[in-house]
Amino acid sequence: MKILGIDPGIERLGWGLLEKSAEGFKRVDSGVKKTLKTKKDAERLWEIFEFLDELIKKEKPGCVSTEKLFFAKNVKTALIIGEVRGVILAVAAKNRLPVREFTPLEVKMAVSGYGRASKESVASMLK
């Protein structure tokens, strides 16, 4: 089964496609969808929706995984990330895909064994 993991962001939306088999997980593809700051938020959100919808149609994942926002120091950032998460949930629902949500702490704990690991530590473990 293919799993589409999405790290929500309005300027940079990270995504990765994994394939789960009896041997474990294998990276199929990954990338970053960038949107321009010069565009209005609504246009950027629609661009993300269309990108994800096309990616899902092309790759046919069995489920979607995304970050569950649980705390943000910057309210403006939290609001826009919430809007991007709404787009992710909507495009998954449109394509009848189940969604699994994980907090950054849960992901870091699973990958590195420490929930407060740095991004560098997580990247090192993934390599």
Side-chain angles (χ1 to χ4, degrees):
M1 171 172 65
K2 286 185 183 175
I3 302 164
L4 176 60
I6 304 169
D7 184 14
I10 187 104
E11 189 173 335
R12 292 180 314 276
L13 177 120
W15 63 274
L17 193 63
L18 302 176
E19 182 128 28
K20 183 180 178 185
S21 67
E23 293 83 43
F25 291 94
K26 181 180 110 177
R27 180 189 159 275
V28 175
D29 199 2
S30 60
V32 176
K33 167 62 179 158
K34 296 179 182 179
T35 64
L36 297 174
K37 288 182 182 181
T38 53
K39 291 185 176 182
K40 294 180 180 177
D41 285 350
E43 293 172 305
R44 295 168 89 183
L45 292 168
W46 181 249
E47 189 176 326
I48 289 168
F49 183 95
E50 287 184 319
F51 169 78
L52 291 173
D53 195 41
E54 288 174 25
L55 183 62
I56 288 168
K57 283 181 173 57
K58 176 184 169 199
E59 297 294 343
K60 298 178 179 31
C63 71
V64 170
S65 174
T66 191
E67 181 179 3
K68 185 175 186 105
L69 189 64
F70 69 104
F71 174 75
K73 293 176 186 173
N74 184 321
V75 174
K76 186 176 178 186
T77 300
L79 287 172
I80 196 65
I81 295 299
E83 291 174 350
V84 174
R85 277 183 30 81
V87 166
I88 294 165
L89 298 176
V91 76
K94 176 184 182 239
N95 289 279
R96 293 182 164 73
L97 293 173
V99 177
R100 294 288 314 267
E101 300 174 86
F102 301 95
T103 65
L105 190 126
E106 290 172 314
V107 172
K108 289 176 181 181
M109 186 66 134
V111 171
S112 70
Y114 178 57
R116 304 268 184 235
S118 68
K119 288 186 178 196
E120 294 77 21
S121 295
V122 172
S124 174
M125 292 297 290
L126 290 171
K127 288 180 183 175

